[in-house]
Amino acid sequence: MPTRNIVFVAYQDQPNIGIGYMANVLIGHGFNVELLDIRNDNQMILKRIIELDPIIVGLSIIFQNFTPDFADLVGYLRHHGVRCVICAGGHTPSLEPDETLLYIPGLDFIVRFEGEFTLLEISQQLDKGQEWKDVKSIAWRSNGLIFKTPLRPLIKDLDRLPFPKRWSLDYQCLGVKVTSLLASRGCPRDCTFCSIRRFYSAPPGKVRRTRSPENVIDEMRMLYDDHNVRIFLFQDDDFSLMTQRDLAWSRSFIECLHKEGIADKILWKINCRSDEVKFDIFNELHSAGLYMVYLGIESGNDTGLKMLNKHISVEQNLQAVEIL
């Protein structure tokens, strides 16, 4: 029986949640998945890939400045006889597939935008020895030409995804276990400096999607009970605080934390905008364990804020800091 191994190479400091989601989707369909850190020596990565003999090596280019490292790795792997399919994903490859394929000629294709079901479909095609170049949401090159297939709609219901795989839970703060998680994907704002809106606006579907509070709490409870995690870092581009619907979500989330009996046993951090900071809701969030806010201030003057399309003022930034 042919190998059903898949190898991801990624920057792995805090958990790479995107790779974690794709990994558990693949694992749920019978594939074996291993994660290697791009910061490892190329020779070490090559040795492990040869041992596993995967059908796919997937590169997670989440930071653009790591692109030369990935290009160097792919050239090294190809030079040393790795012939399996090698693909890449992330913001830069998704938004600039032509440039990425030209810069890293050893790539077979790029997975564009949300990759869970695109990579699963390609893995299944390869496992059966079938053609994969008509799968949605990929870009590939042939004879100097670059081809892009139609984009797959964004995942409408995030609750249908398995919780992301976490290869390591040894990240700690003062001896307390810490991990990252996501309650949502996308952001409704359109700041000029940020790739988030552009990334989620390209495929069909709703840009901002949020998991149910119960689904998020189930993941936190599992991490709390099974792995002794006590500090949670929400990496959402913008936590659910903007609209009345968002506020209702956040209050339901707070209620679930109290019902589970863990609100006074954990700490958590969020990212948000200054115009979302209101005393009442943050008092409620704080009562349920909120301990840190990453606040998107961006500029100290109104001209800069206007240039960045923040739709916010210096006065609002100062008021937010005062409330916090």
Side-chain angles (χ1 to χ4, degrees):
M1 182 177 177
T3 177
R4 291 175 62 85
N5 291 329
I6 294 172
V7 171
F8 286 111
V9 183
Y11 179 83
Q12 180 72 356
D13 185 5
Q14 295 180 27
N16 188 315
I17 301 298
I19 291 296
Y21 274 112
M22 286 190 285
N24 262 354
V25 167
L26 290 162
I27 291 168
H29 287 80
F31 293 94
N32 307 306
V33 181
E34 183 157 328
L35 175 63
L36 305 177
D37 197 317
I38 184 60
R39 296 170 297 178
N40 289 335
D41 181 80
N42 283 352
Q43 186 176 1
M44 184 186 305
I45 295 174
L46 171 66
K47 180 176 182 294
R48 189 59 182 146
I49 288 173
I50 291 173
E51 291 171 351
L52 291 169
D53 187 26
I55 58 175
I56 293 178
V57 172
L59 313 178
S60 173
I61 308 179
I62 59 172
F63 297 128
Q64 189 171 357
N65 61 303
F66 276 96
T67 304
D69 295 322
F70 282 104
D72 179 64
L73 173 64
V74 173
Y76 183 86
L77 295 177
R78 292 306 193 198
H79 178 73
H80 286 84
V82 174
R83 295 290 171 259
C84 72
V85 167
I86 302 179
C87 66
H91 281 208
T92 298
S94 294
L95 295 169
E96 298 183 349
D98 300 51
E99 293 84 348
T100 305
L101 287 167
L102 290 172
Y103 191 77
I104 312 179
L107 289 176
D108 290 286
F109 65 92
I110 286 171
V111 174
R112 303 187 68 201
F113 309 104
E114 293 183 332
E116 285 88 353
F117 298 109
T118 298
L119 195 59
L120 172 62
E121 187 176 342
I122 289 179
S123 300
Q124 291 173 326
Q125 299 287 75
L126 286 170
D127 189 45
K128 297 173 185 174
Q130 298 176 350
E131 182 55 67
W132 50 266
K133 292 182 178 178
D134 60 346
V135 171
K136 288 183 177 180
S137 291
I138 63 171
W140 50 279
R141 185 179 60 237
S142 178
N143 298 321
L145 299 176
I146 293 176
F147 300 88
K148 303 181 188 75
T149 59
L151 296 179
R152 184 185 305 271
L154 296 170
I155 299 169
K156 185 177 180 180
D157 180 10
L158 298 180
D159 283 11
R160 69 185 282 212
L161 293 172
F163 298 151
K165 179 173 176 58
R166 299 165 191 272
W167 280 267
S168 174
L169 281 162
D170 58 4
Y171 187 63
Q172 297 187 358
C173 176
L174 299 177
V176 180
K177 282 193 176 182
V178 181
T179 197
S180 303
L181 74 164
L182 288 170
S184 65
R185 292 184 181 182
C187 177
R189 298 293 189 175
D190 195 15
C191 303
T192 57
F193 59 86
C194 185
S195 64
I196 301 300
R197 181 63 179 264
R198 188 175 168 213
F199 181 89
Y200 287 111
S201 294
K206 187 178 179 182
V207 172
R208 169 65 176 263
R209 290 140 297 137
T210 307
R211 297 163 61 188
S212 68
E214 293 80 8
N215 185 255
V216 178
I217 296 295
D218 284 346
E219 182 180 5
M220 295 174 74
R221 184 88 227 190
M222 179 271 292
L223 291 165
Y224 177 91
D225 289 340
D226 298 348
H227 304 285
N228 200 35
V229 174
R230 295 293 186 271
I231 301 177
F232 298 88
L233 309 177
F234 282 96
Q235 305 294 16
D236 303 54
D237 302 304
D238 187 64
F239 201 74
S240 290
L241 296 166
M242 185 175 296
T243 66
Q244 289 302 313
R245 179 178 293 180
D246 289 336
L247 291 172
W249 185 97
S250 290
R251 288 193 164 98
S252 178
F253 174 71
I254 293 166
E255 183 180 352
C256 288
L257 283 175
H258 285 294
K259 280 184 178 179
E260 284 292 322
I262 60 173
D264 60 346
K265 297 180 175 66
I266 63 171
L267 297 174
W268 41 287
K269 160 259 182 187
I270 64 170
N271 310 321
C272 73
R273 292 166 50 92
S274 296
D275 54 356
E276 295 170 333
V277 178
K278 302 293 187 290
F279 180 84
D280 288 348
I281 184 61
F282 271 80
N283 197 39
E284 295 174 48
L285 295 169
H286 182 254
S287 74
L290 177 66
Y291 85 107
M292 181 186 290
V293 177
Y294 185 96
L295 193 62
I297 289 177
E298 266 72 66
S299 177
N301 63 75
D302 288 322
T303 300
L305 291 168
K306 184 176 181 181
M307 184 181 297
L308 296 174
N309 201 37
K310 285 289 292 184
H311 296 286
I312 206 166
S313 67
V314 170
E315 182 181 0
Q316 286 173 297
N317 282 336
L318 293 173
Q319 286 174 348
V321 171
E322 183 65 25
I323 290 170
L324 293 175

